Amino acid sequence: MRIEDLTRLAFPLVASFAMFACAPGQTESDEYDDTEEESERDDAIIGGTQATAYPEAVLIDMKQNGVVTSICSGSLIAPKVVLTAGHCVNGFTGWNITAPFAQNQKATATVGETYDWDNDGQFVDPNQHDVGLIFLSKAITLSSYPTVASTQVTIGSKVQNIGRINNGTASYTKLFIGPQVTTKKGSSYGFPFDYATSETIQSGDSGGPVVVPGTHKIVAVNSGAG
């Protein structure tokens, strides 16, 4: 599937005036600094459970000049292809990928693509698609791979977010699935390409899959909170 096709199908999940939800690299025990905006600290996946039923869910550590500088989440949609947020791809020169619920398989990458995302600002650009792909240097093998929705979900449908932040703490070993939330029209909040929901993601959850409950069907990627 071409990147152009994928970004038309995987609509990123954002809220209005959404700030990026990738986070600086840190140890698993670190909590977010008290100087961060209250909305950024309090809108993590709250009361999430380990996403052990989703072997396709991956941890993404982003690198600049060989050094890990930020973290995101994502999903393996083919043996060598990771779906994530565009802002987890743009501006980075390498990625470490870990699939904790697929025998902790790991891979690296030096190639990523976005559809139209070239925004280096602090806020999600409502006029671009915050979707990207990372191409792995070696395959991560699953018994099956998730599907990407070919049509938009009905507004008002329930979905669930998967990401690496649970109750405000980043994990370097696992991902979590949050409670069900209801999709709203992103255009009502100034984001014509997106869905909006109540805020349940935080820095580090960016790029994580948004799935139809009880399925491996990806209908969006996490994009921002704010």
Side-chain angles (χ1 to χ4, degrees):
M1 182 178 290
R2 298 176 304 166
I3 180 67
E4 292 89 346
D5 295 329
L6 182 60
T7 51
R8 292 190 185 108
L9 305 181
F11 302 93
L13 178 72
V14 302
S16 61
F17 306 109
M19 295 185 68
F20 288 162
C22 61
Q26 56 192 162
T27 63
E28 184 171 1
S29 59
D30 288 347
E31 293 190 1
Y32 284 81
D33 192 288
D34 288 340
T35 60
E36 290 192 52
E37 292 292 334
E38 195 71 22
S39 63
E40 279 289 286
R41 288 190 289 111
D42 290 346
D43 294 328
I45 291 176
I46 303 299
T49 58
Q50 289 190 39
T52 54
Y54 294 86
E56 65 269 26
V58 297
L59 304 165
I60 301 174
D61 298 338
M62 295 101 77
K63 296 187 289 187
Q64 293 174 321
N65 300 318
V67 178
V68 173
T69 58
S70 302
I71 60 174
C72 273
S73 305
S75 52
L76 195 71
I77 59 171
K80 289 188 174 183
V81 184
V82 170
L83 171 66
T84 188
H87 73 263
C88 300
V89 175
N90 185 59
F92 295 96
T93 57
W95 300 266
N96 295 335
I97 307 297
T98 303
F101 306 125
Q103 294 78 49
N104 210 40
Q105 294 180 73
K106 300 178 186 294
T108 60
T110 57
V111 178
E113 295 286 349
T114 67
Y115 176 47
D116 58 3
W117 189 266
D118 60 5
N119 176 24
D120 292 324
Q122 186 180 15
F123 293 90
V124 173
D125 187 337
N127 298 310
Q128 294 184 333
H129 299 79
D130 193 8
V131 179
L133 296 176
I134 297 168
F135 301 100
L136 304 182
S137 58
K138 69 173 185 179
I140 293 179
T141 304
L142 306 179
S143 59
S144 62
Y145 294 85
T147 59
V148 177
S150 59
T151 59
Q152 297 184 44
V153 298
T154 302
I155 298 302
S157 298
K158 298 290 186 180
V159 295
Q160 288 180 284
N161 305 306
I162 297 175
R164 66 192 295 170
I165 314 295
N166 189 38
N167 296 327
T169 300
S171 175
Y172 283 76
T173 59
K174 57 185 73 76
L175 296 101
F176 306 90
I177 185 165
Q180 294 185 20
V181 290
T182 303
T183 56
K184 306 170 188 177
K185 288 183 179 180
S187 57
S188 299
Y189 298 85
F191 289 83
F193 303 134
D194 310 318
Y195 305 119
T197 75
S198 57
E199 297 175 52
T200 60
I201 64 170
Q202 189 176 351
S203 296
D205 290 328
S206 279
V210 182
V211 298
V212 175
T215 76
H216 294 267
K217 183 177 183 179
I218 300 171
V219 299
V221 297
N222 290 321
S223 179

